[in-house]
Amino acid sequence: MAEQKASTSIEAVESGLAAQGYIASRQIATAVYLSQQIEKPILVEGPAGVGKTELAKAIAAWRGMKMIRLQCYEGLDEAKALYEWKYAKQLLYTQILKDKLGEVLGGAQTLHAALDQLHDFGDVFFSKEFVEPRPLLQALEQPGGCVLLIDEIDKSDAEFESLLLEILSDFQVTIPELGTVSAITPPTVILTSNSERDLGDALKRRCLHLHIGFPEQRLEERIVESRVPSISQTLRRQMVGFIHEIRSLDLKKLPSVSETIDWARVLVLLQASELDTDIVKDTLNVLLKYEADIEAARPQVTTFIAKAARSNVFG
Amino acid sequence: MRENLHRFFRAARGVGVHVSPAESIDAMRAVKQVGFSDRAILRDSLLLTLAKSQDEKLALGDCFDLFFSQPEPRQDQPEADSENASQDSDQSPSSEAAGELGESQHPQELGQLAQMLLSQDRNAIAAAIASASGTASLSDIRYSTQRGIFSSRILDAMGLQRLRDELDELTATNPALAERLRAALDALREAVRDTVSQGLALYAREEAENLRNEILRNAPLARIERRQVAEMRALIRQIARRLRERYSKPRKRQRRGHLDVRRTLRRNAAWGGVPFLTAWKRKHRDRPKIVALCDVSGSVAQVSDFFLLLIHSLHEVVDDVRSFAFSSHMIEVSEILEKNSPEEAMAEIMSKVGFGSSDYGSSLVDFEKDFMSALTPQTTVIVLGDARSNNLDPRADILRRISERSKRLVWLNPEGRLAWGFGDSEMPRYATFCSVVRQCATAQQLERAVSDIVATYQ
């Protein structure tokens, strides 16, 4: 019985995401479903432009939750990711305290008593009042839960990963002066990585590991269909077929799904009804981002178009 | 089914996917959510929770397919139960086919195994094999040499002994039936052998690999067989990767030292000395400088292959490395090593200076003439070679000057200490000018030596 429920709710995830225009493969839907059920973050890896960031956006839109995004980069630290003390406010309070020092200490008879009173004030400076929450802390403080996107974690330093560990496993964070802040509702966490560097085992262990590669032809056609509805079916088939041929070449940067969508838009804009050599050669720069890649692909264009057309007939 | 999952985790470890207890708990939780009925979803879920990289995903996917292609052993049922089950299934579908022969003539006399074989009910046989593999704990198989013993254990568990007795009896009384049974038994043996091979592929990969690596690690580089060379290369690359991981990380972390009080105060003068901006002292660190001289002459050809591979990886760990290769004269190879993949670089170097007869003297002369300026008081010089100079002038005086100009001079010799100084070996003479002399004949020694060298710069 439980099993029945599981497969239907995986489908529910799939259709929920599809309603937001995100066509998920079964693996992706399973990952999203499992991450909710066993409350684990998802680490999404794969080439650029296959929809890693989009996935987080789609989940947030589908479940009607706020999305909080933390873009990682080299040198990202606690102060920018987690929380910071409001120095200026603290300084202002010191000034006020200075002016009122006489009043505060007025009652104290001995130096010892005066010091004790000052200590109480010291604690005020490191209270919640003076904490400026950054994305990670904000995500924990959302009462209705949220989708936390930690984008391109591979760009951050190895130290930053360790900072994340507590949040990822227990959805809580410890601020030395204040104690532990736990999530009110555990956020759905999506981490993305382009595998620029290897992530630590500790981080990987805390996540479901999802690899999004280039989609299969059928799936990609459905993605184009949902994103660029105005494109004709024949053209859609041809162009997706063509892109799959291009991906078999040894290129510096293979065209990914975002390029496919861009290209579909361009073709619609140019009012193309089907692929022909000229139009492909003119728009090749939408698909390929390096001059060398374009040079490499150009002589193949005619053969690829023919191949894509042929596979249409049989497929 | 739980039992089955545990066996799968073991199989996963076998293909090199690290499944820690915590991960197996996650996987169990995931499986509890999705259930077993949909195999595709089960596969996805296990891949999501267990695999930590794309490579692991591929390996684990294969492992999953292999694992679940086996008929599920019925371990949760007691032995008697499964016997009954197989007997049931053997009677119902096959009564017409085998009825006239086996059962009608010898319904009680023949044992369960014989009846099953005669009925040729494949499902029942497969289930019986699987169940017997469980009894024989096939999942403990580690080495390919254990194949025979596991096969016979499984066959024994299935009741081979009784079958043999019956065969002897039948040969006298009913030769035709005996013939049929014998053929069926051969087929069964084959099926069991396949099962054992599959078990070996599933459960033994890791152990076998570890064992092979362990042997390779300690095998003399010079005496590696041709078929092992590729594996050895992979091993050296693994060592290089480990060195890189170990030594490239902490360098970054240690850059920041203590708080620089003076600079902090000066910087924050504008805020009345309240330290908003902090200044840190930088830790002083020697920039690693390594000069590697690698003998690529005929006598050490095979070893120098590995030396070059390791130097190649040194180039990745340490910023400032200059490498030289020589047999009768010396050339700089830093650029070749940096620009090319290890294989290409090695081929190019070998074609330029390799395989000659070694002349340490004239090579050292080359070095002194052209590259002496590469040495500074911070440089560590590594010489990789056997110090066999074909009875030519060793020019130990140049080595002395090299040693004087540099911080350290390390000599790694692939020959054992016993051989030093015999024949044309000039090792004792050179050794007087070296800070460290080490035998370096196995991958393990190579790793230790290089690790020590790099570590001194941390």
Side-chain angles (χ1 to χ4, degrees):
Chain A
M1 231 263 333
E3 294 172 14
Q4 203 54 42
K5 213 174 71 198
S7 56
T8 51
S9 28
I10 288 174
E11 278 155 25
V13 172
E14 229 175 308
S15 61
L17 292 178
Q20 305 304 322
Y22 190 93
I23 309 295
S25 67
R26 199 193 59 229
Q27 273 102 332
I28 298 176
T30 311
V32 173
Y33 171 72
L34 278 180
S35 87
Q36 279 173 34
Q37 293 299 318
I38 62 177
E39 288 189 349
K40 282 197 121 202
I42 309 178
L43 170 64
V44 194
E45 287 193 306
V50 289
K52 301 191 291 291
T53 308
E54 285 301 310
L55 176 62
K57 289 187 191 161
I59 295 174
W62 162 49
R63 298 174 59 193
M65 291 193 299
K66 189 175 172 188
M67 188 179 95
I68 293 177
R69 178 171 178 163
L70 175 68
Q71 177 69 45
C72 297
Y73 51 86
E74 210 174 315
L76 178 65
D77 61 2
E78 225 174 1
K80 284 161 196 145
L82 202 51
Y83 67 89
E84 198 165 17
W85 294 103
K86 294 176 182 166
Y87 292 125
K89 205 169 167 187
Q90 284 176 335
L91 198 65
L92 199 68
Y93 272 58
T94 0
Q95 291 300 324
I96 297 171
L97 184 65
K98 217 156 126 191
D99 294 343
K100 306 266 175 184
L101 203 58
E103 287 173 34
V104 172
L105 299 182
Q109 297 301 319
T110 61
L111 186 64
H112 204 74
L115 268 179
D116 274 350
Q117 275 175 343
L118 268 181
H119 268 305
D120 292 342
F121 273 92
D123 289 343
V124 173
F125 286 110
F126 290 102
S127 67
K128 204 102 202 230
E129 281 283 287
F130 293 97
V131 171
E132 174 82 64
R134 299 289 189 210
L136 293 180
L137 193 57
Q138 277 172 24
L140 294 182
E141 286 177 336
Q142 295 297 321
C146 68
V147 174
L148 171 62
L149 169 66
I150 302 175
D151 215 3
E152 305 193 338
I153 174 78
D154 53 327
K155 297 249 166 45
S156 68
D157 306 313
E159 294 86 349
F160 182 70
E161 266 179 52
S162 331
L163 187 74
L164 282 179
L165 296 181
E166 191 184 359
I167 295 184
L168 294 183
S169 58
D170 299 327
F171 301 111
Q172 65 175 39
V173 62
T174 305
I175 300 175
E177 296 86 348
L178 287 183
T180 307
V181 181
S182 301
I184 303 160
T185 313
T188 304
V189 187
I190 310 280
L191 299 105
T192 74
S193 154
N194 289 331
S195 315
E196 195 140 291
R197 72 178 167 83
D198 277 344
L199 300 170
D201 284 344
L203 180 83
K204 287 187 164 183
R205 222 214 57 64
R206 283 167 173 77
C207 306
L208 297 175
H209 187 273
L210 174 66
H211 185 271
I212 305 186
F214 297 121
E216 284 169 16
Q217 197 151 338
R218 282 288 152 77
L219 186 64
E220 193 160 12
E221 279 178 36
R222 280 177 57 208
I223 294 171
V224 175
E225 188 182 0
S226 105
R227 283 310 178 85
V228 193
S230 50
I231 193 167
S232 77
Q233 196 190 347
T234 352
L235 181 58
R236 193 170 65 222
R237 283 221 161 156
Q238 284 184 354
M239 61 162 289
V240 172
F242 181 83
I243 283 174
H244 275 252
E245 293 296 333
I246 285 257
R247 286 194 192 132
S248 67
L249 292 176
D250 179 27
L251 298 178
K252 244 183 183 169
K253 157 103 180 60
L254 293 174
S256 61
V257 183
S258 67
E259 270 99 26
T260 311
I261 293 169
D262 287 346
W263 198 37
R265 290 203 178 112
V266 167
L267 291 176
V268 168
L269 211 63
L270 293 175
Q271 296 178 333
S273 58
E274 58 180 12
L275 285 190
D276 62 61
T277 318
D278 287 336
I279 203 159
V280 171
K281 280 191 175 163
D282 289 346
T283 54
L284 214 49
N285 55 351
V286 181
L287 282 182
L288 303 172
K289 307 292 170 174
Y290 288 95
E291 198 53 42
D293 286 356
I294 296 180
E295 288 304 318
R298 203 177 297 246
Q300 307 280 354
V301 167
T302 323
T303 5
F304 283 172
I305 292 176
K307 263 194 195 168
R310 223 177 308 137
S311 66
N312 258 345
V313 177
F314 300 111
Chain B
M1 219 50 213
R2 260 179 99 92
E3 186 57 36
N4 235 356
L5 264 186
H6 280 298
R7 289 196 312 128
F8 178 70
F9 296 152
R10 197 148 52 185
R13 286 183 196 121
V15 295
V17 178
H18 295 282
V19 182
S20 63
E23 268 151 4
S24 61
I25 290 171
D26 287 342
M28 305 266 257
R29 279 171 66 204
V31 169
K32 212 170 141 200
Q33 292 294 331
V34 299
F36 282 97
S37 57
D38 189 329
R39 193 135 286 181
I41 290 178
L42 178 64
R43 189 175 190 269
D44 285 348
S45 307
L46 288 174
L47 256 56
L48 278 167
T49 42
L50 295 180
K52 297 292 165 230
S53 70
Q54 190 56 8
D55 288 345
E56 285 192 357
K57 272 205 161 107
L58 290 176
L60 197 65
D62 290 346
C63 177
F64 182 93
D65 296 338
L66 189 63
F67 188 86
F68 284 100
S69 71
Q70 289 179 314
E72 281 160 23
R74 315 181 176 191
Q75 283 176 326
D76 12 17
Q77 295 167 337
E79 196 73 351
D81 238 348
S82 72
E83 266 169 45
N84 285 340
S86 53
Q87 225 154 16
D88 287 346
S89 61
D90 130 26
Q91 261 148 25
S92 47
S94 57
S95 41
E96 311 101 71
E100 356 132 27
L101 261 168
E103 281 159 57
S104 61
Q105 289 173 11
H106 307 273
Q108 275 87 39
E109 289 161 37
L110 283 185
Q112 188 220 337
L113 178 62
Q115 293 196 7
M116 197 174 6
L117 285 177
L118 286 174
S119 72
Q120 295 193 321
D121 182 347
R122 275 199 206 152
N123 290 335
I125 294 176
I129 292 180
S131 147
S133 325
T135 318
S137 39
L138 179 62
S139 52
D140 288 341
I141 191 167
R142 289 296 172 262
Y143 310 111
S144 60
T145 44
Q146 292 173 316
R147 247 184 257 187
I149 197 159
F150 273 96
S151 293
S152 56
R153 259 197 228 167
I154 291 174
L155 284 170
D156 283 347
M158 292 179 80
L160 181 71
Q161 200 46 53
R162 175 150 182 214
L163 186 71
R164 279 218 186 101
D165 295 344
E166 286 163 356
L167 258 177
D168 289 343
E169 226 169 87
L170 278 177
T171 325
T173 57
N174 189 344
L177 189 62
E179 196 50 42
R180 256 192 71 184
L181 202 54
R182 204 162 277 135
L185 180 60
D186 286 343
L188 178 70
R189 278 183 201 281
E190 219 162 272
V192 168
R193 209 176 308 135
D194 287 350
T195 308
V196 172
S197 302
Q198 204 174 21
L200 189 71
L202 268 176
Y203 302 111
R205 235 174 283 182
E206 185 187 27
E207 309 280 334
E209 212 156 275
N210 286 348
L211 181 73
R212 222 172 33 235
N213 277 346
E214 202 44 51
I215 293 172
L216 265 183
R217 219 175 268 273
N218 292 305
L221 291 168
R223 249 166 279 142
I224 299 269
E225 286 171 43
R226 187 170 291 275
R227 66 184 167 83
Q228 289 176 316
V229 168
E231 282 175 40
M232 193 71 194
R233 286 218 174 123
L235 186 69
I236 298 250
R237 206 161 295 144
Q238 204 182 320
I239 291 174
R241 200 173 53 229
R242 215 171 31 231
L243 285 174
R244 191 162 63 233
E245 269 162 19
R246 197 181 317 152
Y247 294 116
S248 54
K249 269 180 207 157
R251 261 207 329 238
K252 223 174 175 181
R253 211 179 304 137
Q254 285 172 353
R255 227 178 287 153
R256 208 161 87 166
H258 294 289
L259 184 74
D260 188 337
V261 181
R262 231 168 9 146
R263 265 176 58 221
T264 305
L265 284 179
R266 205 179 314 143
R267 243 198 220 179
N268 292 294
W271 292 284
V274 180
F276 284 116
L277 302 172
T278 47
W280 301 85
K281 275 179 187 155
R282 297 212 149 210
K283 246 188 195 165
H284 178 72
R285 186 169 51 87
D286 271 353
R287 282 177 64 78
K289 279 191 176 168
I290 293 179
V291 166
L293 311 179
C294 185
D295 183 358
V296 291
S297 64
S299 59
V300 285
Q302 196 150 29
V303 188
S304 55
D305 221 29
F306 300 120
F307 282 170
L308 283 176
L309 201 60
L310 208 77
I311 291 179
H312 189 274
S313 60
L314 258 183
H315 275 263
E316 288 177 30
V317 185
V318 181
D319 302 324
D320 198 350
V321 188
R322 292 184 71 179
S323 309
F324 302 87
F326 64 91
S327 45
S328 58
H329 65 280
M330 189 176 292
I331 59 161
E332 173 156 15
V333 295
S334 316
E335 208 168 301
I336 305 176
L337 285 168
E338 258 156 47
K339 291 227 170 96
N340 299 303
S341 72
E343 277 75 22
E344 287 166 3
M346 268 148 36
E348 192 177 338
I349 292 168
M350 284 312 209
S351 75
K352 280 193 171 151
V353 281
F355 302 118
S357 63
S358 49
D359 182 346
Y360 276 73
S362 75
S363 301
L364 285 173
V365 169
D366 282 350
F367 184 82
E368 183 171 42
K369 195 169 71 198
D370 297 329
F371 307 117
M372 211 56 175
S373 59
L375 303 179
T376 69
Q378 283 88 43
T379 313
T380 296
V381 180
I382 311 171
V383 187
L384 300 149
D386 60 359
R388 293 200 176 269
S389 194
N390 289 319
N391 297 318
L392 296 162
D393 183 3
R395 295 299 301 266
D397 56 316
I398 302 182
L399 197 75
R400 197 192 74 224
R401 286 198 284 281
I402 291 177
S403 159
E404 283 165 0
R405 277 191 72 124
S406 56
K407 184 180 174 191
R408 285 195 311 166
L409 176 56
V410 181
W411 194 298
L412 304 178
N413 193 327
E415 282 185 351
R417 275 175 195 277
L418 277 177
W420 296 358
F422 286 92
D424 57 350
S425 171
E426 303 288 353
M427 204 57 224
R429 238 198 274 188
Y430 285 141
T432 46
F433 306 116
C434 299
S435 336
V436 184
V437 181
R438 278 212 197 179
Q439 189 203 355
C440 187
T442 68
Q444 197 165 31
Q445 288 170 331
L446 200 61
E447 175 178 9
R448 288 213 184 115
V450 176
S451 169
D452 287 353
I453 292 165
V454 184
T456 52
Y457 284 110
Q458 292 299 312

